[in-house]
Amino acid sequence: MRRYFLCLSLILLVGAAWLALSVGQVDEVVRNIVYFHVPSSISALSCFTLILICSIGFLASKKSAWDYLATAAAEVGLVCATILNITGMIFSHQQWGVWWTPEPKLITSAILWFLYVAYLILRSGIATARRRGQLCAVFGIIAFIDVPLVFISARVTRGNHPGNVGFASGGQWAAFGLNILAVALLSAMLIWLRYDILKGKSQMEQQLFS
Amino acid sequence: MNSLYHGIKAIFVKDLVLELRAKEVLPSMVVLGMLIVLVLRLVSQVGDLNLGAMGVGALWIAFLFAALLAQERSFAAEQHQDCINGLLLAPIDAGAIYLAKLLVNIVMLGIFEVIIVPLVILAFDLNLAGGFGRLILVLLLGNLAISSVGTLFSAMVQVSRVRGSLLSILVFAILLPMMVPATFALLITFGINPDDMAGTGMVALTGNFRTAVGFLVAFDAIFITASWLLFGFVVQE
Amino acid sequence: MVSESQVQNKDEPALHIEGLSMRFETRRVLKQIDLQLPAGQSLCLCGANGAGKSTLLRIIAGLLHPSAGKVRVQGYDLREKPQEAKPLIGVISHKSMLYPELTVEENLTFTAQLYGVKDSRDRVKQLLHDTRLYGYRFDRTEILSRGMLQRLAICRALVHNPCILLADEPFTGLDLPSSQHLVAVLHKFHQAGGAIIMTTHDTHYGLECCERIAVLDQAELIFDAPVDQIDRIRFLDDYLTYARQNY
């Protein structure tokens, strides 16, 4: 079942890319990166929200399923955040000649990446599963509170990140929408896969050591 | 309420005695702070950079690193001989333990501020144009922010194998939002008006002292409350 | 050392455990434990490593929340009324819970303040005299020997006049004089009306100190009887056989 969805998401991704570069091509070639930049951004933020939900769930119920889901979301979210930052930097360099500038959206993207990394480093440093789940849940909640604050505080500085995305033709919108769908589906499938792996690994460890 | 006050007072006094008796915490904080100030002063000389801006940057960097030094110790002492369980056995709320530890960290960082700020003002030739009151306000708010987040995280990293480095990563990542308004407010306090730092985009925060301080107050309130509420989950199993 | 005042309600059992279960992930550490300890009774809990003894004691002390079940100390629910229940509990474990850089007196005063003990100064002074530690009151605990540290840990557990003492493997690492001193302290506490739950591998200390003996095996209580109703030698023999099979 999951295999089909995974294949579907990959097909969608390829299809969206083809659509983006043919019918939906934006004027300057490099601007096409928006087709991957924005979906990654949406995905990265959604994974972060998922971590928040799982953190609250874990603290309320102490069920380790929430913890596995949070880990999976963090790992996939990190990948999305990495793509987000890299595509952002490529675009920034092409457009304005600078690789990076301390602008609200860019700072937020960078901090998002750092928070994911910090979350995963925190995870890896704790041996007991129960404590790990609890501490990471607390960090997940604190980190989620932090993200909007980063954005607001960075508004004090000036910036040149482009405003809301606007497209000219229907083809472009189609490509955009398809990309968002594809990336979202791919992320969800990867999270699901990762969750199962983590759950299976933990069960195996319990059987071996108890 | 009464028992809450007594519990917080007991832990506060005990921790303060331990910190000051250790005789290594405060000196190392001050020495580290001074070295950071020295290095950045040298760099600004070599690079012919804006002294005022570098001075403010030096101040916050020194605070952050010195605070990490103090905070790491504050919970490390509880790990020895299971002392943290000794605290949890008592009829005190975990939140009360957090508040007590927070107060200790605020005091330690406050003592450090009193020593390092005059040094920075001298080294970077800063001028207290904005007034002493503003300086105290901004330093206090910055202190609260660093202490609130640091106290929570120093309790968290005790179970980890890589305590010190992990604490720095977590604290820096979370404290970033307060660095901008804090620097801003301090620049204005020292008479350096960042005119070209007007807001941008749709709803722009026009940078002025009030908004920066307002943001800091909000940041402090949010994080102290969140940490206080979540602290129980960090120390208890 | 122990005044009668803390044993407020003689009618209520010192400890009442109902349907206590604990699981870590999928592993059941405690299964439906029901236990009642009348006021002033002493119980020794034996069992193999990993049977759940320490976990049970930590739940009773309020350090761990059980997956299911209730714990009541002198009628106060530990979860719902911790402010009333916790002052009634004293804990001795193989970790001293003492700050090495604080002096003997400072450690005890701190604990007394934590529990809101009235006239803490006099109480601390009295305890130090009773355990012959008064001469060391200005010494930092880091320089104390293991035996003295244990004596101080006992003071720490009793400074707030608890009605029930939880002792988790208290004889671990103690030499003979220190062990005998601990036995004496436990007797004195018991005679003053305090209840005791002790876990130990050393079954003959358990039989010596306690009125009741219970065995925890694979998360369940498999044996629970008053000491004067069992054949001690046979019990020790059977327990040794059981221990050999399980280790």
Side-chain angles (χ1 to χ4, degrees):
Chain A
M1 168 69 161
R2 213 167 20 201
R3 259 178 292 170
Y4 298 120
F5 274 116
L6 206 56
C7 291
L8 179 67
S9 66
L10 288 168
I11 293 169
L12 277 177
L13 205 61
V14 170
W18 174 83
L19 203 64
L21 291 169
S22 60
V23 175
Q25 195 177 89
V26 185
D27 276 337
E28 296 158 38
V29 177
V30 77
R31 281 180 137 245
N32 288 301
I33 213 161
V34 78
Y35 288 123
F36 296 102
H37 182 76
V38 178
S40 309
S41 160
I42 295 172
S43 206
L45 287 167
S46 311
C47 287
F48 216 71
T49 316
L50 184 59
I51 293 178
L52 174 76
I53 296 168
C54 294
S55 300
I56 297 174
F58 184 85
L59 290 178
S61 72
K62 298 276 192 291
K63 288 211 165 76
S64 46
W66 289 113
D67 188 38
Y68 302 142
L69 195 57
T71 315
E75 291 172 356
V76 173
L78 178 63
V79 172
C80 294
T82 312
I83 296 172
L84 171 68
N85 279 294
I86 292 176
T87 51
M89 287 202 284
I90 294 171
F91 182 79
S92 168
H93 181 75
Q94 284 294 323
Q95 193 76 2
W96 303 298
V98 278
W99 283 105
W100 196 82
T101 164
E103 192 274 331
K105 290 211 174 106
L106 289 168
I107 294 184
T108 315
S109 313
I111 273 295
L112 200 63
W113 187 85
F114 279 114
L115 288 172
Y116 272 124
V117 171
Y119 182 91
L120 290 169
I121 293 178
L122 180 64
R123 282 204 75 81
S124 65
I126 304 168
T128 342
R130 206 176 147 106
R131 289 296 261 153
R132 188 169 54 217
Q134 253 178 312
L135 296 179
C136 291
V138 170
F139 185 71
I141 296 171
I142 295 276
F144 188 82
I145 299 170
D146 199 51
V147 176
L149 290 173
V150 172
F151 190 72
I152 296 169
S153 81
R155 291 277 210 169
V156 178
T157 64
R158 83 199 117 117
N160 39 10
H161 190 282
N164 281 328
V165 177
F167 290 114
S169 75
Q172 291 175 347
W173 278 113
F176 188 62
L178 204 60
N179 254 305
I180 292 179
L181 183 66
V183 171
L185 196 61
L186 185 63
S187 306
M189 288 305 108
L190 286 173
I191 291 176
W192 192 0
L193 260 173
R194 207 46 205 131
Y195 165 78
D196 265 352
I197 293 173
L198 288 167
K199 192 166 145 193
K201 182 178 159 202
S202 156
Q203 280 170 350
M204 207 168 69
E205 278 171 357
Q206 267 164 30
Q207 278 172 4
L208 280 173
F209 297 124
S210 63
Chain B
M1 240 334 145
N2 205 21
S3 65
L4 186 75
Y5 165 72
H6 283 303
I8 295 176
K9 185 179 157 202
I11 300 174
F12 174 73
V13 169
K14 182 265 295 178
D15 266 9
L16 214 55
V17 165
L18 278 175
E19 292 288 317
L20 295 172
R21 197 175 278 182
K23 289 199 181 90
E24 65 214 18
V25 188
L26 208 52
S28 20
M29 282 168 81
V30 171
V31 168
L32 180 64
M34 285 168 71
L35 280 169
I36 291 172
V37 169
L38 183 67
V39 166
L40 288 171
R41 182 67 183 88
L42 197 66
V43 165
S44 52
Q45 189 72 25
V46 168
D48 198 21
L49 303 163
N50 182 347
L51 269 188
M54 282 298 277
V56 169
L59 205 63
W60 287 123
I61 294 173
F63 276 7
L64 270 171
F65 280 101
L68 288 172
L69 217 69
Q71 283 153 9
E72 210 201 315
R73 255 194 69 86
S74 90
F75 274 99
E78 306 292 350
Q79 296 302 108
H80 183 86
Q81 288 294 326
D82 237 8
C83 289
I84 185 71
N85 278 332
L87 291 178
L88 293 169
L89 284 169
I92 336 174
D93 202 28
I97 302 176
Y98 171 74
L99 289 175
K101 296 271 180 190
L102 174 67
L103 285 169
V104 174
N105 281 327
I106 291 172
V107 167
M108 293 300 285
L109 200 54
I111 298 173
F112 172 78
E113 283 176 348
V114 165
I115 299 170
I116 212 76
V117 169
L119 288 173
V120 172
I121 292 176
L122 286 171
F124 288 87
D125 201 22
L126 297 170
N127 165 35
L128 207 52
F132 196 62
R134 279 189 166 189
L135 179 67
I136 300 288
L137 179 65
V138 177
L139 289 177
L140 181 65
L141 291 173
N143 185 344
L144 278 170
I146 298 171
S147 299
S148 66
V149 172
T151 306
L152 179 72
F153 288 157
S154 57
M156 272 169 78
V157 300
Q158 291 309 318
V159 253
S160 163
R161 294 186 281 259
V162 278
R163 289 181 196 175
S165 37
L166 186 61
L167 182 62
S168 347
I169 294 171
L170 297 178
V171 168
F172 281 135
I174 297 288
L175 277 181
L176 187 108
M178 77 48 94
M179 295 267 68
V180 173
T183 311
F184 202 79
L186 219 51
L187 282 171
I188 295 177
T189 311
F190 288 124
I192 305 156
N193 274 316
D195 291 319
D196 57 352
M197 290 180 90
T200 183
M202 295 137 261
V203 180
L205 281 177
T206 46
N208 62 43
F209 188 77
R210 266 201 177 160
T211 26
V213 165
F215 183 88
L216 284 174
V217 170
F219 185 93
D220 290 347
I222 292 170
F223 277 99
I224 290 177
T225 313
S227 305
W228 176 62
L229 291 171
L230 292 169
F231 192 73
F233 294 109
V234 173
V235 280
Q236 284 168 332
E237 289 188 51
Chain C
M1 262 199 268
V2 179
S3 54
E4 296 279 344
S5 57
Q6 275 289 80
V7 189
Q8 292 151 356
N9 218 340
K10 286 239 166 81
D11 302 322
E12 289 275 3
L15 185 68
H16 186 120
I17 299 175
E18 251 181 314
L20 197 73
S21 290
M22 186 68 199
R23 51 155 47 121
F24 290 127
E25 307 290 310
T26 51
R27 193 162 54 99
R28 276 268 199 98
V29 180
L30 291 170
K31 264 186 224 165
Q32 288 289 93
I33 306 280
D34 290 302
L35 186 71
Q36 248 201 57
L37 195 70
Q41 196 182 63
S42 53
L43 166 73
C44 174
L45 198 59
C46 307
N49 282 335
K53 309 190 297 294
S54 290
T55 309
L56 180 61
L57 236 57
R58 287 176 71 205
I59 293 174
I60 299 170
L63 293 174
L64 205 56
H65 288 312
S67 312
K70 280 192 188 287
V71 176
R72 268 189 274 265
V73 181
Q74 283 222 314
Y76 297 113
D77 189 305
L78 194 58
R79 195 93 186 249
E80 285 158 28
K81 294 203 169 145
Q83 298 287 334
E84 286 90 349
K86 282 187 174 180
L88 301 170
I89 306 168
V91 177
I92 306 173
S93 78
H94 43 277
K95 294 263 175 92
S96 65
M97 295 189 277
L98 296 164
Y99 296 95
E101 288 128 1
L102 289 181
T103 64
V104 165
E105 191 171 26
E106 282 169 347
N107 262 299
L108 281 184
T109 315
F110 170 64
T111 312
Q113 286 169 345
L114 221 53
Y115 281 89
V117 173
K118 294 189 177 65
D119 306 318
S120 53
R121 260 202 169 159
D122 298 325
R123 176 83 184 128
V124 166
K125 213 170 168 182
Q126 180 209 343
L127 272 170
L128 288 174
H129 273 300
D130 284 344
T131 46
R132 289 173 287 129
L133 284 172
Y134 194 71
Y136 301 94
R137 68 192 184 282
F138 297 126
D139 291 334
R140 295 192 188 185
T141 50
E142 57 194 347
I143 65 165
L144 294 182
S145 70
R146 176 87 177 91
M148 285 197 277
L149 213 59
Q150 180 71 323
R151 273 189 270 159
L152 186 58
I154 295 166
C155 290
R156 193 203 168 281
L158 296 173
V159 74
H160 55 284
N161 277 321
C163 80
I164 178 169
L165 191 62
L166 306 175
D168 192 5
E169 312 272 356
F171 294 102
T172 313
L174 291 185
D175 58 11
L176 194 60
S178 306
S179 299
Q180 285 175 339
H181 177 262
L182 179 57
V183 171
V185 167
L186 292 173
H187 268 306
K188 215 170 164 186
F189 177 76
H190 185 226
Q191 271 163 0
I196 302 174
I197 297 187
M198 184 172 78
T199 65
T200 182
H201 286 305
D202 230 323
T203 30
H204 58 264
Y205 271 131
L207 290 169
E208 195 181 324
C209 301
C210 302
E211 305 169 289
R212 187 171 150 195
I213 192 149
V215 179
L216 203 62
D217 182 48
Q218 291 190 358
E220 287 176 324
L221 266 175
I222 58 169
F223 183 88
D224 186 357
V227 167
D228 55 10
Q229 284 179 17
I230 61 169
D231 180 349
R232 288 193 188 203
I233 297 165
R234 189 168 157 210
F235 175 81
L236 284 171
D237 219 14
D238 285 344
Y239 188 78
L240 212 59
T241 320
Y242 149 80
R244 278 205 201 100
Q245 285 168 351
N246 282 289
Y247 276 104

